[in-house]
Amino acid sequence: MLAELRGLGPVAGVYGNMDEPALRESLPKERVVEVEGARVGLVHIPGPAAGREARLVARFPGCAAVVYGHTHVPQVERFEQLWILNPGSPTERRSAPVHSMLLLTIRGKRLAPELVTFDS
């Protein structure tokens, strides 16, 4: 799947806890990407819910946003100086209220996250 995505264009990702060993070897645990001058942190497992936002701010200094996964619960929230973003999941809702994904538009240093939800 990663090769197919890379066939469509540039892909920056991190591995998750359910990924196969070959994928884990080809992707980092966390990373920072820069898009039009805006730095965005990526991580799959953000740690416990208590204190999560403050930990992500400290973990990704200088970033305008942090995108995480693992929980399948969508989050689009400003915390201090950055966006804390979780796209949820378009396929496995688990404990989330809806199936969802996230569109993040970046123009210059302006970020505009939009949560897209799907009917179950």
Side-chain angles (χ1 to χ4, degrees):
M1 179 62 88
L2 183 58
E4 291 171 349
L5 288 172
R6 286 183 170 153
L8 299 173
V11 174
V14 295
Y15 70 80
N17 61 303
M18 300 299 288
D19 290 328
E20 60 189 43
L23 188 58
R24 286 176 175 249
E25 290 175 15
S26 68
L27 293 172
K29 181 177 181 177
E30 64 182 55
R31 74 182 337 154
V32 174
V33 296
E34 191 166 319
V35 179
E36 291 197 26
R39 293 170 40 89
V40 178
L42 305 174
V43 64
H44 182 69
I45 299 177
R52 176 178 292 151
E53 291 80 5
R55 278 194 319 276
L56 290 173
V57 167
R59 191 171 180 177
F60 292 96
C63 285
V66 175
V67 180
Y68 73 93
H70 191 62
T71 68
H72 293 240
V73 177
Q75 181 178 8
V76 177
E77 179 180 335
R78 281 294 274 179
F79 183 83
E80 295 181 10
Q81 76 278 8
L82 80 158
W83 286 101
I84 304 291
L85 305 170
N86 184 325
S89 174
T91 58
E92 292 188 38
R93 188 174 57 82
R94 297 191 183 174
S95 62
V98 294
H99 290 94
S100 62
M101 62 179 245
L102 184 75
L103 296 175
L104 179 58
T105 302
I106 301 174
R107 289 197 172 88
K109 292 195 177 190
R110 185 177 181 284
L111 280 67
E114 177 188 353
L115 188 68
V116 178
T117 60
F118 305 96
D119 292 330
S120 298

